[in-house]
Amino acid sequence: MIKYLLLTITLLIASPAQDAFAQQKICIGTTSKGTKCTREVEPGYNYCYYHLIQDPNVKQCEAKTKKGTRCKFPAEKGSKYCKQHDPKAVKCKATTRKGTRCSRPATTQGYCQQHYKMHKQGKI
């Protein structure tokens, strides 16, 4: 009888955690080492942002990197370029430690994610 009660209590406690885990969608992509990715998926896809290029319906960015290789990130919908290389994207208005302008795309209030956090902390 005691084993039955312990089993029942264990199942009642474990159920909410299992439901929350089942609702969380994990990327079905594979890493460069061949292991399964553990990141959350992008909305509307079965892949995270880094593995979205593995989706056959997503196009690869057409830009070239500084090394001359093709960019490996997915192109934005309706564009040939990713967020980083899109010439129409609004760039971050912060300056780097070297004094050059940040080249990342702006996401909130004219800053990229990294510089927005610094802006909120009063460091910029």
Side-chain angles (χ1 to χ4, degrees):
M1 181 71 177
I2 293 174
K3 288 183 180 179
Y4 176 75
L5 288 174
L6 289 174
L7 179 62
T8 306
I9 291 170
T10 305
L11 289 174
L12 289 174
I13 293 171
S15 293
Q18 289 173 346
D19 290 340
F21 183 74
Q23 291 175 356
Q24 182 184 20
K25 293 187 178 182
I26 303 298
C27 175
I28 63 170
T30 54
T31 65
S32 59
K33 294 180 180 180
T35 60
K36 188 173 178 343
C37 180
T38 57
R39 293 185 187 97
E40 289 186 35
V41 298
E42 285 287 302
Y45 294 99
N46 291 323
Y47 297 89
C48 67
Y49 182 73
Y50 296 99
H51 296 114
L52 196 56
I53 198 66
Q54 294 177 8
D55 187 336
N57 299 323
V58 175
K59 294 182 180 179
Q60 186 177 358
C61 176
E62 293 185 9
K64 299 282 184 188
T65 64
K66 290 179 183 178
K67 293 180 180 179
T69 60
R70 188 168 175 189
C71 176
K72 295 180 181 177
F73 286 102
E76 292 291 304
K77 289 183 179 178
S79 176
K80 296 189 289 185
Y81 303 102
C82 65
K83 295 175 187 176
Q84 182 73 22
H85 294 114
D86 191 357
K88 296 177 186 174
V90 177
K91 301 294 180 189
C92 178
K93 62 184 179 182
T95 55
T96 64
R97 291 180 190 161
K98 294 179 181 178
T100 59
R101 186 152 179 196
C102 177
S103 63
R104 294 188 206 105
T107 55
T108 309
Q109 295 183 357
Y111 295 101
C112 65
Q113 289 177 348
Q114 179 182 356
H115 287 119
Y116 179 68
K117 289 178 186 176
M118 294 171 68
H119 172 70
K120 280 179 60 177
Q121 296 170 351
K123 296 179 180 178
I124 294 180

